């Protein structure tokens, strides 16, 4: 029993060291020069996005997860994909930002199911935390109130969302589109719209939904919807 207790923190320490590098490696298979030319008119600075992402993830104490959910941590550190998948599914319901570095690491899993479920769990955490701010005065719409001091700002995740949007994993693209909406990433509208010809309906449906939602959110943010209430 003592051996397991010692092994877990060491494994988590290694995970923290490599999680961000693995997350980046998952989405660096394209020719960067071509990407830069293609997105020459983009509305954001990717270096700044990366710096904010690194800072945000670096400030998360991933060891908290081992204290709060030791069994989930053991499953995540297992070499068995089925165990990892179970752990990921459990984290999807956690609404816990301490889970983020763990999920980022498994976005690079060689196992398809683990990789897909990790993206799903990331999307679920982002979405569920955002929906805590849903404005109940507009029940017909999903509109998010501004962040309060007690709310966690997840916008630094924009960098990994961008990587997923430009990746080749269909499920990850769909999840990234959903996250872009719930993070109010208006600057990614063009990135989202370029998936209009995707052959997968899950992606095109998510794209149409997200762009419509962002349009409504903009009106809400500028108080236009309150006039129409």
């Amino acid at each position: 029993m003592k051996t397991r207790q010692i092994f877990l923190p060491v494994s988590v320490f290694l995970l923290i060291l490599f999680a961000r590098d693995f997350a980046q490696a998952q989405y660096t298979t394209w020719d960067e020069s071509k990407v830069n030319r293609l997105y020459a008119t983009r509305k954001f600075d990717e270096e700044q996005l990366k710096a904010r992402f690194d800072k945000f993830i670096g400030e998360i104490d991933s060891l908290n997860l081992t204290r709060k959910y030791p069994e989930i941590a053991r499953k995540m550190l297992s070499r068995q994909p089925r165990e990892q998948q179970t752990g990921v599914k459990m984290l999807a319901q956690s609404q816990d930002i301490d889970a983020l570095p763990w999920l980022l690491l498994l976005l690079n899993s060689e196992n398809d199911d683990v990789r897909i479920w990790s993206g799903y769990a990331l999307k679920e955490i982002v979405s569920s935390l955002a929906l805590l701010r849903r404005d109940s005065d507009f029940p017909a719409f999903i509109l998010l109130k501004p962040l309060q001091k007690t709310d966690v700002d997840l916008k630094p995740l924009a960098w990994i969302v961008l990587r997923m949007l430009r990746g080749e994993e269909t499920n990850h693209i769909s999840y990234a589109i959903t996250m872009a909406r719930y993070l109010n990433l208006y600057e990614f509208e063009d990135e989202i719209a370029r998936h209009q010809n995707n052959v997968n309906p899950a992606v095109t449906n998510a794209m149409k939904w997200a762009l419509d939602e962002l349009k409504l959110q903009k009106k809400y943010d500028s108080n236009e919807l309150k006039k129409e209430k």
Side-chain angles (χ1 to χ4, degrees):
M1 188 67 177
K2 291 182 179 179
T3 302
R4 293 184 70 182
Q5 291 176 335
I6 294 172
F7 170 75
L8 187 58
V10 172
S11 299
V12 175
F13 175 73
L14 293 175
L15 179 144
I16 295 170
L17 284 177
F18 294 107
R20 285 175 294 174
D21 291 337
F22 274 118
Q24 181 175 4
Q26 176 70 14
Y27 299 101
T28 54
T29 56
W30 59 71
D31 185 328
E32 291 287 350
S33 62
K34 290 182 180 179
V35 169
N36 290 336
R37 290 196 299 272
L38 182 62
Y39 300 104
T41 60
R42 58 187 181 274
K43 305 173 183 177
F44 46 85
D45 186 318
E46 290 185 43
E47 290 185 3
Q48 287 185 3
L49 292 181
K50 179 63 166 60
R52 291 170 188 157
F53 170 80
D54 286 344
K55 183 176 184 296
F56 177 71
I57 295 300
E59 292 176 348
I60 295 175
D61 183 359
S62 298
L63 287 175
N64 279 336
L65 196 77
T66 69
R67 293 186 282 267
K68 290 184 286 189
Y69 316 114
E71 288 304 317
I72 296 180
R74 291 191 181 97
K75 290 181 183 297
M76 297 287 284
L77 292 168
S78 171
R79 294 183 179 181
Q80 300 301 319
R82 184 173 296 181
E83 285 288 291
Q84 291 180 333
Q85 187 175 333
T86 300
V88 167
K89 289 180 179 180
M90 295 170 75
L91 287 181
Q93 308 302 318
S94 70
Q95 295 187 348
D96 196 329
I97 66 167
D98 290 339
L100 297 180
W102 298 68
L103 296 173
L104 291 171
L105 177 61
L106 292 183
L107 282 177
N108 304 281
S109 174
E110 294 181 358
N111 181 275
D112 290 346
D113 290 334
V114 172
R115 191 170 62 250
I116 290 171
W117 276 102
S118 295
Y120 171 83
L122 186 63
K123 182 263 297 183
E124 283 296 289
I125 291 175
V126 169
S127 302
S128 61
L129 288 175
L131 287 170
L132 293 176
R133 307 188 340 261
R134 184 173 182 176
D135 192 335
S136 59
D137 288 340
F138 298 87
F141 307 111
I142 299 176
L143 299 167
L144 307 178
K145 296 178 182 179
L147 286 166
Q148 302 300 309
K149 291 182 179 180
T150 55
D151 296 324
V152 178
D153 185 3
L154 296 178
K155 276 197 173 181
L157 292 176
W159 182 80
I160 197 65
V161 170
L162 180 63
R163 290 304 217 190
M164 292 170 72
L165 280 172
R166 292 181 178 176
E168 298 180 356
E169 184 84 54
T170 299
N171 290 282
H172 282 185
I173 294 171
S174 176
Y175 301 152
I177 290 173
T178 300
M179 287 191 286
R181 183 276 168 266
Y182 283 119
L183 293 174
N184 290 343
L185 297 176
Y186 304 118
E187 63 271 33
F188 285 4
E189 286 180 324
D190 291 344
E191 297 280 345
I192 295 171
R194 77 182 185 87
H195 290 289
Q196 61 184 324
N197 296 320
N198 194 294
V199 296
N200 192 308
V203 173
T204 52
N205 289 339
M207 179 209 70
K208 293 173 184 176
W209 169 82
L211 291 177
D212 287 343
E213 287 285 311
L214 287 171
K215 183 178 180 180
L216 280 172
Q217 185 70 44
K218 283 182 183 178
K219 294 182 70 177
Y220 173 80
D221 292 345
S222 62
N223 295 322
E224 292 182 42
L225 279 182
K226 291 184 179 179
K227 298 175 183 178
E228 302 172 3
K229 182 179 172 183

